[in-house]
Amino acid sequence: MILTYRQVTEEEALEHYKLDTLQNWEQTLILFEGDTTIQGDLEGGFAESLEGIEGDKSRAVLIFAGNLTVQGKLSSMDYWPNILVLGDVYADALFSGDSEIYITGDAHIKHLVYGNYNDGMLTIDGTTHTRYVICSDHSMEMTAPGAVFINAYSDYDDFFDYDYYASDLEHVLTNKVCRGEDIDVDAFLESLKKKRPVFRKGVKPARQLIQERLDALVKQGKPPEHLDLAEEKLPRFPMQVLKLPSLRSLSLKKVSLSEIPEEIEQLQDLEELDLSGCGLEQLPESLGKLPSLRVLKLVDNPNLTLPEGLKHLKHLKYLSYSPKEFQLPAWLDQLTELEELDLSSWGNEAFDFPEVITQMTSLKRLSLQRIAFHEIPDSLTQLTSLEEIKLDGGPLCFLKKLPDFSKMPNLRVIHADGLRTNSTRPNPDKALIKSFFTAPALEELYIDRHHGSSEDFAGIGQAKHLKSLDLSFNDLTSLPEEIYTLPLESLNLQYNKLDKQERRKITEHFPKTKLNLRNNPNGPETNEDIKHINQQIAAGNKQSNRQDYAQAIDTYEKVLQILQSGAVSSAYNELYARYRLMWLYSQLGYQWSGITDAELYKRLCAEEGRRCLALVPTHNIWHFTDEGAFHEEVVRFASNAVAWYKYEQAKDQAALEQALSTIERALPFAKEAAFFYVQDTYVRILLALDRQDEAYQCVYKILAQEPKFKDFQDIKKSSPYKSWLRKRNKGK
C-alpha cells in the first residue's frame, strides 16, 4: 500500500484544508492529498505506522483532502487520532469514540455506524448511507435516511429519533449480539458481515413496543402522574391512557392523530395537555369537562377549530392555539382565569384583530408572533394586568399606530422586532418604535432589526425602569444620548455600524452593563469595488423586478466577473448573484410558457443551483440572523432546482438516488407551508424509487397540516394512496 502524505503546519491547514472545522487540532498534522485508499482497517495506531513524521504521532490529526476509501473498518475509539475528511468516505463500518471525526461529504458505510460515549464527536455534513446507526451517548450529527437507529445507552431521543432503545435491546436482538441491555457492537458487525440475523425472529416494531409499554403502565400497581409520548410512533390516540386516571400531565406533541376520543373526560385529574403539532382538525366537546386542566397546548394544528365546550375550562391558565384565518370564538373571554395566551402562527395576509382578546382582562402574557394585523385597537389597553406582549415577526408591518401603552401599568416586557417573516409584507413603520417607550413599568424591550437611525429611538429615556434592551441589527452609527441615563443591565448592539470610537463611549458609560458589541465594523468601508458591486446588484434587482430578465442576467454575470477577477472578495455577494441567476433561469425554464430555449434554461438553473449549494455553509447556519435566513432560502431553492432537474433527466436508479440525496439537504428548512414545494419534489423522487410507504407518510403529514396543498391533490385522489391510507388507519 503506497500512501501519499506529508506533515503540514497549522497555518497551512487552517488556510487550505478547513482545519478549524475541528474543535481540537493542537496535535501533529498529517495531510493526505487527493483521494486515498487504505487496504484493511484504519484504526487508532494508524498514524504511528507512518514514516517521516516528526512530533508525537500518537496524538495526530489525519486530514484527507479528497475522498477516503477504507477497505475495512474506519475506527478511532481512543482520544487520537482526530480525522478530517474533505470529501466522501467509503468503508465497511465507521466507529467513533473519544476522538473527533468530521466528514464534509457523504459517508457510504456498508454495514454500521457506531458512536461510543460522549467525549468525542462524529459529524457528517453530507448524507450517510448505511444499514444501522448505533449511538451510545455519543455526540453524533448526521442524516441517514433508511437506516435503523438504535439507542444503546438510554430510552430517550437524544441525537436521533430512534427505532429501538436500550431497554428494548434484550427483547429484539439475538443473544449473539446482546447480553441483557448491553449490545456487543463487534459481534453485531461480525453478524452483518456473515449475513447472520441480528434481530430476533418476529421482532416487534417501535409502534408496537410503545403500545406494550402503555399496557404495562396500566397494569402496574401505581399508575404514573406524568406521561410524555411526544413524537412517538403511535397509529392513533393511545386508549390505554384513559385507564390512567391519576394522570396530571399528558404530552402527545407531534404525534399524528386523526381525533381525540370523547372519553378523554375520564382524566379528571389532568392539569396539562399538549396536543401541539398533531394535525388535528377538531376536538371533542368533552375536553371542556376536565375540571383540573390548567395548561392546554394546541399550537401548530392549522385547521383546528375550537369546540364551544372549552369555555367551561374555568381554571385554565395557559392556552396556545393557531387559529385558522385568525378567527377566534366569541366565548373565549369566558376563560376568566386565563393568564397566558399564545396565538403565534403563520399567515400570508393581514387579519383583523379579534376584539375578544381585548375582553380577556385576566391576561398577563400575550404572544402574537408572526401574525400581521390591519390594526391593533386602542381597546387593548383594557388589559391592565398584562405584563408581557410579543409582537415579533410581522404584527407591526401594516400598522399606522399602536395603542397608548402608557395606560398599561403592569406591562414590563415588550418583544417587537422589525422582521416581516413574509416577504410580501412591508417593513414596519419606524415611527411605531417610540410608542413602546411610554409603558410606565417597562423593564425589557426587544426592538431589533428595524434598521433605524439614532433619531428613530429618540424618547427612549422615558423608559426609566428599563433593564434589558435589544437594538441589534439596526444599522445604528450612534445611540441617542438619553440612552445613557437608563439603568441598563443588558444591552445588545451586535450587527450595527458603531465604529470603535462610539463603542468605546458605550463601554465607558455602561461599565457594569452586560454588553454585546460583536459584529460592528472596524472602520468605514472604502473599497470602491464593493460599492460598485452593490450598485450593480441593486440594478440587477430592479431589472429583474420589471421582468427585464435578459438585462438582469447580464448584470449579475458582470458582478461575478468582478468577483472572479480577484479584485475583491465577497462570498456573500457571490452567493447572492448566483442565487438571483438561478431564480431567473428557473423562471425562464419552468414558469414562462413559449420559451424556445426552456431546456437550456433548466440546465443553467441546475448548474447555478449546484454552485450555490457549494457556497452555502454545510453546518453552523445561524438561523436567527438575516444571513442565516438567506442561507436557508438558498438551500431550499437550490436543492429543489438541482434535485428536480436530476429527477427529470434520470435514466437509472443511481441518478434518482443522487436526486434524493440532494433534496434531503433542504428538508430541515422546508417545514412551513410556503416551502412545501420541497416536500413535493422529495415525494416524487421517492415514488420513482418505488419507496411508496415513505412517500405516502410524507404526503399524509403535509395534508394533515395543509389539506388543500395543490401539489399533492393528484396523489390524494389516487387509488394507491387511498389503499395505503386505509391500511394505515387500520393500524396495519
Side-chain angles (χ1 to χ4, degrees):
M1 176 178 62
I2 300 176
L3 297 176
T4 303
Y5 60 88
R6 62 185 174 89
Q7 193 166 351
V8 293
T9 65
E10 179 180 351
E11 291 74 17
E12 181 182 355
L14 285 170
E15 182 178 358
H16 297 292
Y17 301 109
K18 301 182 180 180
L19 182 62
D20 55 355
T21 303
L22 298 176
Q23 294 190 11
N24 181 13
W25 65 71
E26 295 178 1
Q27 301 159 14
T28 303
L29 307 178
I30 305 173
L31 172 69
F32 295 79
E33 296 180 292
D35 294 341
T36 301
T37 297
I38 295 174
Q39 298 173 4
D41 298 335
L42 191 166
E43 297 188 289
F46 174 79
E48 297 177 49
S49 67
L50 301 175
E51 298 180 354
I53 301 297
E54 298 179 355
D56 187 354
K57 290 189 288 187
S58 68
R59 299 168 59 90
V61 175
L62 306 179
I63 305 172
F64 296 90
N67 297 329
L68 170 63
T69 300
V70 179
Q71 296 176 344
K73 180 170 66 173
L74 171 57
S75 174
S76 186
M77 301 299 289
D78 207 341
Y79 285 95
W80 298 278
N82 285 348
I83 298 173
L84 172 61
V85 183
L86 303 180
D88 298 339
V89 167
Y90 300 82
D92 288 344
L94 172 58
F95 281 25
S96 177
D98 292 318
S99 64
E100 187 176 356
I101 300 177
Y102 203 116
I103 300 168
T104 65
D106 294 341
H108 301 266
I109 311 301
K110 185 175 181 180
H111 298 298
L112 166 68
V113 176
Y114 171 53
N116 180 56
Y117 196 52
N118 58 5
D119 277 2
M121 61 184 67
L122 169 64
T123 306
I124 303 173
D125 285 341
T127 300
T128 301
H129 306 273
T130 192
R131 295 171 63 189
Y132 296 96
V133 176
I134 300 177
C135 182
S136 183
D137 195 27
H138 189 64
S139 177
M140 303 173 74
E141 184 177 339
M142 57 187 289
T143 302
V148 174
F149 284 82
I150 299 173
N151 188 334
Y153 179 78
S154 72
D155 287 348
Y156 301 99
D157 289 327
D158 44 27
F159 301 99
F160 306 106
D161 179 10
Y162 294 98
D163 295 288
Y164 299 98
Y165 300 88
S167 62
D168 302 327
L169 300 184
E170 62 180 318
H171 307 294
V172 301
L173 296 178
T174 64
N175 290 333
K176 289 186 177 181
V177 301
C178 189
R179 293 287 185 271
E181 293 187 3
D182 295 326
I183 187 170
D184 185 336
V185 180
D186 289 325
F188 193 104
L189 176 59
E190 191 63 25
S191 292
L192 293 177
K193 288 181 177 179
K194 294 181 178 180
K195 298 184 179 181
R196 295 172 179 167
V198 292
F199 283 94
R200 296 176 185 270
K201 186 177 180 180
V203 66
K204 299 169 184 176
R207 179 179 295 181
Q208 188 170 346
L209 289 173
I210 186 62
Q211 296 287 359
E212 292 182 357
R213 286 164 59 191
L214 288 171
D215 289 338
L217 287 175
V218 172
K219 293 177 181 178
Q220 69 182 25
K222 185 180 179 181
E225 293 185 350
H226 308 281
L227 185 57
D228 186 354
L229 299 174
E231 301 188 49
E232 291 285 3
K233 298 174 177 63
L234 294 165
R236 60 184 67 85
F237 183 89
M239 298 300 287
Q240 299 99 317
V241 167
L242 303 178
K243 298 178 182 179
L244 302 173
S246 61
L247 269 187
R248 293 172 55 195
S249 69
L250 171 62
S251 175
L252 292 165
K253 181 179 181 180
K254 294 186 178 180
V255 175
S256 294
L257 299 172
S258 57
E259 61 180 1
I260 304 297
E262 289 282 350
E263 293 86 346
I264 198 169
E265 66 178 286
Q266 296 174 20
L267 302 178
Q268 290 288 291
D269 292 338
L270 198 64
E271 297 177 3
E272 298 185 19
L273 178 60
D274 189 348
L275 297 173
S276 55
C278 292
L280 292 164
E281 296 187 11
Q282 60 183 8
L283 293 171
E285 294 285 343
S286 62
L287 200 61
K289 298 179 181 179
L290 297 176
S292 303
L293 201 62
R294 303 288 190 274
V295 175
L296 180 57
K297 298 179 180 180
L298 301 172
V299 73
D300 294 332
N301 291 287
N303 297 298
L304 179 63
T305 301
L306 298 182
E308 191 169 359
L310 296 189
K311 70 182 181 182
H312 301 299
L313 297 173
K314 297 300 183 182
H315 301 298
L316 195 67
K317 299 289 186 183
Y318 174 97
L319 174 64
S320 66
Y321 174 50
S322 303
K324 188 176 182 181
E325 297 182 354
F326 218 77
Q327 296 294 315
L328 295 178
W331 50 259
L332 207 60
D333 60 352
Q334 296 184 40
L335 301 176
T336 55
E337 293 189 17
L338 196 70
E339 294 182 352
E340 186 166 354
L341 180 61
D342 185 349
L343 299 173
S344 303
S345 187
W346 297 93
N348 295 329
E349 56 185 305
F351 298 103
D352 293 331
F353 192 90
E355 192 65 29
V356 66
I357 294 177
T358 69
Q359 308 301 318
M360 304 174 72
T361 55
S362 61
L363 283 181
K364 293 184 178 180
R365 288 170 292 280
L366 175 61
S367 182
L368 300 169
Q369 297 178 103
R370 301 184 296 277
I371 300 297
F373 297 107
H374 296 298
E375 63 176 8
I376 296 180
D378 292 335
S379 53
L380 185 74
T381 60
Q382 295 173 177
L383 305 183
T384 55
S385 297
L386 200 66
E387 298 177 3
E388 179 176 356
I389 188 168
K390 293 183 178 180
L391 299 169
D392 289 332
L396 306 180
C397 289
F398 295 97
L399 302 183
K400 301 301 181 184
K401 68 181 186 67
L402 282 164
D404 185 357
F405 289 116
S406 68
K407 297 179 180 179
M408 305 183 78
N410 293 296
L411 189 58
R412 299 185 303 102
V413 182
I414 297 176
H415 293 257
D417 66 29
L419 285 176
R420 298 177 296 166
T421 305
N422 188 301
S423 61
T424 62
R425 296 172 180 170
N427 291 313
D429 188 343
K430 295 180 180 63
L432 298 173
I433 296 173
K434 298 179 181 179
S435 304
F436 304 122
F437 305 152
T438 63
L442 191 63
E443 295 181 359
E444 298 180 29
L445 179 59
Y446 304 88
I447 45 176
D448 50 299
R449 295 170 168 80
H450 283 276
H451 303 285
S453 64
S454 175
E455 291 75 16
D456 295 315
F457 300 95
I460 197 170
Q462 300 173 73
K464 301 293 185 182
H465 306 289
L466 198 60
K467 296 179 181 179
S468 182
L469 176 62
D470 186 349
L471 292 174
S472 59
F473 296 91
N474 270 313
D475 298 331
L476 293 170
T477 58
S478 64
L479 300 181
E481 287 299 316
E482 57 195 296
I483 206 170
Y484 297 110
T485 67
L486 300 176
L488 294 176
E489 297 175 1
S490 173
L491 177 57
N492 187 350
L493 292 168
Q494 66 173 330
Y495 288 99
N496 279 290
K497 297 179 179 179
L498 303 164
D499 61 24
K500 290 182 178 180
Q501 183 177 350
E502 189 70 19
R503 297 201 298 273
R504 186 180 303 111
K505 176 182 177 181
I506 294 167
T507 304
E508 291 173 353
H509 276 83
F510 292 111
K512 297 181 179 180
T513 301
K514 182 180 178 180
L515 297 172
N516 186 345
L517 290 163
R518 292 193 295 270
N519 299 297
N520 277 275
N522 290 322
E525 180 63 70
T526 59
N527 193 315
E528 293 300 323
D529 286 318
I530 283 286
K531 292 180 180 179
H532 178 61
I533 284 174
N534 291 335
Q535 291 169 356
Q536 288 287 92
I537 286 177
N541 292 345
K542 289 180 180 179
Q543 292 158 356
S544 177
N545 290 339
R546 60 175 182 257
Q547 296 188 348
D548 188 355
Y549 287 179
Q551 189 63 45
I553 289 171
D554 183 65
T555 301
Y556 292 131
E557 287 180 341
K558 287 179 179 177
V559 169
L560 291 171
Q561 288 172 6
I562 297 173
L563 292 169
Q564 292 166 353
S565 70
V568 65
S569 175
S570 176
Y572 181 88
N573 278 328
E574 180 180 358
L575 177 60
Y576 184 83
R578 293 200 179 281
Y579 169 74
R580 294 299 301 170
L581 276 175
M582 174 181 59
W583 185 87
L584 291 168
Y585 290 143
S586 75
Q587 296 297 301
L588 294 170
Y590 294 99
Q591 302 299 326
W592 281 28
S593 59
I595 300 292
T596 55
D597 294 328
E599 290 303 315
L600 169 64
Y601 290 122
K602 289 179 182 180
R603 178 175 60 79
L604 292 173
C605 176
E607 289 177 358
E608 285 301 336
R610 281 189 285 268
R611 295 186 182 107
C612 286
L613 290 174
L615 292 170
V616 175
T618 53
H619 65 286
N620 288 344
I621 290 181
W622 301 109
H623 310 282
F624 53 87
T625 66
D626 292 342
E627 185 173 1
F630 175 57
H631 284 158
E632 291 181 1
E633 167 59 18
V634 172
V635 171
R636 275 191 298 267
F637 201 102
S639 296
N640 192 74
V642 175
W644 187 261
Y645 187 75
K646 286 182 178 179
Y647 163 71
E648 286 188 323
Q649 303 294 319
K651 296 181 180 179
D652 54 30
Q653 183 166 341
L656 288 170
E657 292 286 357
Q658 290 179 354
L660 183 64
S661 177
T662 301
I663 199 62
E664 283 171 343
R665 182 173 174 184
L667 292 178
F669 310 127
K671 297 180 180 179
E672 301 162 20
F675 311 131
F676 282 170
Y677 66 88
V678 171
Q679 306 283 356
D680 176 59
T681 299
Y682 175 64
V683 164
R684 305 295 169 172
I685 297 171
L686 285 174
L687 290 175
L689 286 165
D690 291 324
R691 291 164 62 172
Q692 198 173 71
D693 186 67
E694 294 172 73
Y696 289 160
Q697 287 282 3
C698 180
V699 172
Y700 179 82
K701 290 180 181 179
I702 296 301
L703 291 178
Q705 298 177 62
E706 196 75 17
K708 296 182 180 180
F709 178 53
K710 63 179 182 179
D711 290 355
F712 283 165
Q713 294 307 304
D714 61 325
I715 296 177
K716 183 179 180 180
K717 297 173 183 178
S718 69
S719 297
Y721 178 74
K722 289 180 179 178
S723 176
W724 177 88
L725 196 59
R726 284 194 296 271
K727 291 180 181 179
R728 183 192 184 281
N729 291 338
K730 290 179 181 178
K732 293 183 178 179

